[in-house]
Amino acid sequence: QVQLVESGGGLVQAGGSLRLSCAASGLTFSSYAMGWFRQAPGKEREFVAALNWIGGSTFYAEPVKGRFTASRDNAKSAVYLQMNSLKPEDTAVYYCAARLGSGALKADAYDYWGQGTQVTVSS
């Protein structure tokens, strides 16, 4: 049974930082590309970042480029999202996701999802 469990969300002031973690189990982690998505109230789920399973290539959505850094630790079956210079518009539930193969930008390309962690940025 595949499980993805996010943690690290919370309330932070604008300009602050948070580090999200996603622990994976039940899959051969190093074979999966991992993605981070977010969903704000009343909006569709949107792509944030994706990390390929090999080679270390990482892709970011334009709104987070230069502020967010995604990383993975295959030995720990975990991915991370370091979020700096947070803005109120970053407020959302953040999800990690896994797909077999290379990273993708679309949510429906992913096979497994975590339950999400709330990030709230106050102005």
Side-chain angles (χ1 to χ4, degrees):
Q1 180 182 356
V2 176
Q3 281 195 315
L4 302 176
V5 181
E6 302 95 337
S7 61
L11 173 64
V12 64
Q13 288 189 332
S17 298
L18 282 174
R19 186 182 190 231
L20 306 184
S21 300
C22 172
S25 60
L27 50 74
T28 305
F29 184 76
S30 59
S31 297
Y32 281 75
M34 300 298 294
W36 284 102
F37 290 78
R38 66 187 182 185
Q39 188 166 18
K43 295 188 177 181
E44 292 188 356
R45 192 167 298 190
E46 65 173 0
F47 170 76
V48 174
L51 305 92
N52 273 327
W53 66 279
I54 194 169
S57 55
T58 308
F59 308 91
Y60 297 95
E62 284 296 332
V64 308
K65 278 184 180 179
R67 300 188 298 123
F68 290 12
T69 302
S71 60
R72 64 186 294 162
D73 186 335
N74 286 341
K76 295 183 177 180
S77 296
V79 291
Y80 308 97
L81 186 66
Q82 177 67 43
M83 305 185 296
N84 298 328
S85 302
L86 282 161
K87 304 175 181 180
E89 51 264 42
D90 294 318
T91 295
V93 177
Y94 283 71
Y95 299 89
C96 71
R99 73 181 300 266
L100 195 62
S102 58
L105 306 185
K106 294 187 177 181
D108 59 9
Y110 287 79
D111 303 308
Y112 304 103
W113 290 85
Q115 83 289 349
T117 186
Q118 176 71 47
V119 171
T120 303
V121 185
S122 64
S123 57

